[in-house]
Amino acid sequence: MKLWNKTVVITGAGSGIGRALCHELIREGCHLAMVDLDVQGLNETKEGLSNTDRRVSCHVIDLSVEENCKELPKIVLSEHPSVDILINNAGISAYGKFQRMEAEVFDRVMSVNFQAPVRLIRLFLPYLRKRPEALIVNMSSIFGIIAPPARSAYVASKFALRGFSKSLHLDLKKSNVNVLTVFPGGVATKIAVRVGETQSWSDHKRERLSRQEQKLLSMSPSYVAGKVVLGIKKGEHHLLIGRDARLASIAERIFPRSYWKKLQFFIHRKLN
């Protein structure tokens, strides 16, 4: 896919992978409609962009609210003549055992990570179908491949997005719209700041969890963004990013019933 002059709607653009993707896409000559709940983050992303002759709009929206999603296409198309690419990148996480997690926390993770992408695809698809070539990018995760303990909400949302994306790809296979599902491994982003059971933990316990996760989150957002853009240009529809994502995929296929025990050995080595 040629990216020059394409208009991209990207959620979660205020930080992390979303911000890095905006930098990569603007260098490719794309126009951007950046979506995030974080006003300051969006402004910082926009201020940091280098190619100022591209159209760039910012849209502050809480994607967990269905009505907000419904309004987004109209708002975007009031500032851009068309939409060629939709990147569902926004995501939140939660940590804790299912029986200790409040239903509101679980439901919000599902709403942002899964329901919002489904809503946005349904809303933007008629506009994407009008373009000569178009693309939907869904950011799943290594936890859309394997299911570790104490992350049931996040895992459920990313497995759901994975399955939905695979079926959607087949539904649209004979159309002008490609579907790319991305599975990054551990990335150093703000999503590592978790909600859920951690809210009732001591500061010491939260700090220990944070230190452990930082050791596992080794990839930079810019590295992931570069791989995603390359995958877009190559016309990929399934993209594993990072050694840990590739290892998890292999382990899940070879040891479907016991992969977590196998992977714990490598995790322990990395933490010590």
Side-chain angles (χ1 to χ4, degrees), residues 23 29 41 48 56 71 76 86 96 108 122 128 135-136 147-148 162 174 205 207 212 243 256 268:
H23 284 277
V56 177
E71 292 296 315
V76 169
L86 170 64
R108 182 168 174 79
R122 182 179 291 117
L128 295 171
L135 175 67
I136 296 164
R162 172 191 177 185
K174 294 183 179 180
K205 194 172 183 179
E207 287 173 7
Q212 288 176 341
R243 183 185 176 192
H268 180 75

Side-chain angles (χ1 to χ4, degrees), residues 23 26 145 209 241:
H23 284 277
I26 210 80
I145 299 170
L209 173 66
I241 303 179

Side-chain angles (χ1 to χ4, degrees), residues 141-148 155 159 162 248-249 251-252 259-260 263:
S141 164
I142 186 175
F143 292 155
I145 299 170
I146 60 171
V155 164
F159 264 73
R162 172 191 177 185
S249 180
E252 192 275 336
Y259 64 77
W260 185 243
L263 291 172

Side-chain angles (χ1 to χ4, degrees), residues 121-139:
I121 290 168
R122 182 179 291 117
L123 293 163
F124 277 103
L125 189 55
Y127 303 101
L128 295 171
R129 294 292 296 267
K130 294 177 182 179
R131 307 302 296 156
E133 58 176 354
L135 175 67
I136 296 164
V137 180
N138 288 332
M139 299 294 292

